[in-house]
Amino acid sequence: MRVGHLPGRRKVAPSVISEFLDPSPAALAAQWKSVLAREEVPKGSRQVPFVPSEVVLSLCASLLVDHRRFGSSSAHRAGMPVQHFASLFKRRPTSFIAKMANLDGTRSHGGRHEVEVASLMLSDSVLMQDVYLRILRSARSHGIDEHALPDFLELENGETLWLAGQEELVQSEIERSLEQSLEKWSSERNDIPIATTQRLLTSRVRIGQHRFAAGVLSNHEHRCVFCGLSANIGGRRRPRLLTASHIKPWRDSTDKERLDRRNGFTACPTHDIAFDTGLITVDEDLNLHYAPGVESDMEIESPLRAALGKPPLRDRLILPDKAERPDVVYLDWHRTQIYVAS
């Protein structure tokens, strides 16, 4: 799973959480043996505690699954890998949704050590990748194949974990957006150190941006909506060829708008920047327009014509038949606030 990079560095884990952040082969083996020996627990009966590898896998799954979208009656609709977890670990899907809430601090009765684990791993992609792969290697050695436990982060073949859409985020803008949330958390969750809270809230923003970007890329089938460039080349997906960013920029959007994939375009870097800086815009009928002066400059500047001419650009956005169209509200905002201002 090539997704963007969470900045961070390896931290020395206190002994109380080292079983999560630095599991030994023997500890992982013991955990998988206990998992494989489990039996289904009747509904209403108390379930066995989560083993550390279950906790870490639940945290890793939060990169894909937004637990806030699911409740006790809808957890069965949560996407991959929640249903695989439920089958393998002999738990109901609601258990994993609840665990994700514990890990991001949403549930005040969640274990403090789990919140600390989450804050450290989500702020250090190298650490998360390392522990994830240790857990999967141990699982494979115990006969747990990809059907039972899929490589949902797509890292077993040597890929690198990084989060999509991070190039749009600016740390100072994230910090400003979190000021009220940080104050609220500090008053309500005084059991969590302030540094942990800051890491969690920042990670929540970055993961939300990743889920947004992943949704936009999927919606547009990993193809630039301006020129049609595909990220699938030579039988492999090359995600760094494309970016997924907001039509109405993240800094100007509400929390809801920041997560709305109708507020996003998939684009190659050149056309992403051309749109972001107002050299081109799109009207409500999805027709492309140039800013004043661009077309006349293309007549004398062949590199500009090669980049922004037609082709490679099309007269109208290139969208898959089943794709959700961008919301007119966002297109209007760009046309009046970015395009005209340029």
Side-chain angles (χ1 to χ4, degrees), residues 39-110:
E39 297 181 355
E40 296 285 350
V41 177
K43 190 173 182 179
S45 300
R46 186 177 181 83
Q47 299 184 79
V48 297
F50 276 66
V51 297
S53 56
E54 266 183 288
V55 174
V56 171
L57 288 175
S58 297
L59 179 65
C60 292
S62 70
L63 298 183
L64 306 181
V65 179
D66 183 356
H67 69 83
R68 291 168 293 185
R69 294 179 53 204
F70 304 98
S72 58
S73 62
S74 59
H76 65 283
R77 294 199 296 268
M80 198 267 289
V82 172
Q83 310 310 323
H84 293 83
F85 287 177
S87 177
L88 175 61
F89 293 108
K90 304 294 191 300
R91 297 187 192 277
R92 291 178 292 281
T94 51
S95 297
F96 295 100
I97 297 301
K99 180 58 66 177
M100 292 179 192
N102 287 349
L103 288 163
D104 78 355
T106 300
R107 290 160 56 110
S108 60
H109 57 281

Side-chain angles (χ1 to χ4, degrees), residues 16 38-39 52 61 63 74 99 105 109 135-136 148 157 168-169 180 198 232 240 245 259 276 280 304 315 327 335 342:
V16 69
R38 283 182 191 171
E39 297 181 355
L63 298 183
S74 59
K99 180 58 66 177
H109 57 281
I135 291 171
L136 261 63
N157 292 325
E168 187 182 8
L169 300 178
Q180 290 186 343
Q198 289 174 322
N232 297 314
R240 296 188 188 186
S245 55
L259 302 178
D276 282 350
I280 56 177
L304 180 62
D315 290 323
D327 195 306
R335 196 163 55 252
S342 68

Side-chain angles (χ1 to χ4, degrees), residues 260-323:
D260 185 358
R261 70 179 185 178
R262 296 171 302 171
N263 184 20
F265 279 154
T266 297
C268 62
T270 296
H271 298 143
D272 176 64
I273 293 172
F275 182 80
D276 282 350
T277 56
L279 293 178
I280 56 177
T281 195
V282 177
D283 65 25
E284 60 185 13
D285 294 319
L286 308 186
N287 297 311
L288 187 98
H289 300 274
Y290 291 110
V294 173
E295 290 178 281
S296 59
D297 281 358
M298 283 195 292
E299 293 179 2
I300 58 175
E301 291 285 346
S302 58
L304 180 62
R305 185 167 61 251
L308 297 183
K310 296 180 182 179
L313 296 182
R314 311 291 179 87
D315 290 323
R316 198 167 184 271
L317 279 192
I318 305 165
L319 294 179
D321 291 339
K322 296 181 180 179

